[in-house]
Amino acid sequence: MGLTADICDEHKDKVVLADPIFQHYGQITTFSGPVHTVNVFEDNVLVKRALETIPEGSVLVIEGGASQRYALMGDNLAAIAQNRNLAGVIIHGSIRDAGEINEMPVGVYALGTTPFPSIKKGEGEKDIPLRFANVAWEPGFWVYADEDGILVSETELQL
């Protein structure tokens, strides 16, 4: 069984299932870790900064306003996540360079792809509560993601 199925068997009352709106990119399909958040719209300056500074093993959760016009992550930012050993990235928005990202040992869930690069204004917020995909994404909550779905828990769960 997969990670999320095992968690649901053991801790169903402690998790919330995100709506199944995400596509998977990268070679890592299963990941878990504590949530760090960024709230941006078509601007990935704060995304890059977060990827460069959040702790190893973390999951960066990005509220991108569901925009599919401009990519919030490409292969260069995915390489930062890879090199810093981040657990994964969940984007309520789009990525680009999907072919390259799919060849990398990273785990990314996003709404889809676009070839357009992001805007570079540096606008947005970090480390704030977010809400999308019918889930509250709070800094410090835990994410468990695999091919079966994405679960969010207020605490780390043991199997």
Side-chain angles (χ1 to χ4, degrees):
M1 257 196 283
L3 174 67
T4 59
D6 288 343
I7 287 173
C8 286
D9 287 348
E10 297 279 329
H11 303 287
K12 183 172 57 174
D13 57 332
K14 296 179 182 171
V15 294
V16 177
L17 175 64
D19 288 345
I21 59 175
F22 300 98
Q23 303 296 317
H24 174 263
Y25 303 93
Q27 294 177 340
I28 297 175
T29 58
T30 301
F31 60 81
S32 64
V35 170
H36 290 263
T37 64
V38 174
N39 184 20
V40 296
F41 187 71
E42 300 180 349
D43 180 337
N44 75 352
V45 171
L46 292 182
V47 173
K48 181 179 182 196
R49 193 171 303 148
L51 290 168
E52 293 171 338
T53 59
I54 66 174
E56 181 177 314
S58 298
V59 176
L60 181 60
V61 177
I62 304 164
E63 168 57 278
S67 174
Q68 295 189 280
R69 296 188 305 179
Y70 297 93
L72 294 176
M73 173 180 273
D75 60 341
N76 291 333
L77 295 191
I80 294 170
Q82 173 190 333
N83 294 335
R84 295 208 54 249
N85 295 314
L86 300 183
V89 181
I90 298 171
I91 306 170
H92 192 224
S94 296
I95 68 162
R96 70 186 212 155
D97 305 321
E100 291 87 346
I101 291 172
N102 283 336
E103 299 297 317
M104 300 170 73
V106 296
V108 178
Y109 285 91
L111 297 179
T113 62
T114 179
F116 282 98
S118 79
I119 298 165
K120 308 281 192 230
K121 292 183 180 176
E123 296 175 353
E125 301 172 281
K126 64 177 188 152
D127 301 322
I128 64 165
L130 304 174
R131 182 156 189 89
F132 60 85
N134 251 349
V135 172
W137 309 84
E138 300 260 357
F141 278 18
W142 275 70
V143 171
Y144 302 88
D146 68 12
E147 300 92 335
D148 289 336
I150 299 173
L151 302 172
V152 179
S153 171
E154 292 184 17
T155 60
E156 182 178 8
L157 302 173
Q158 302 298 320
L159 289 177

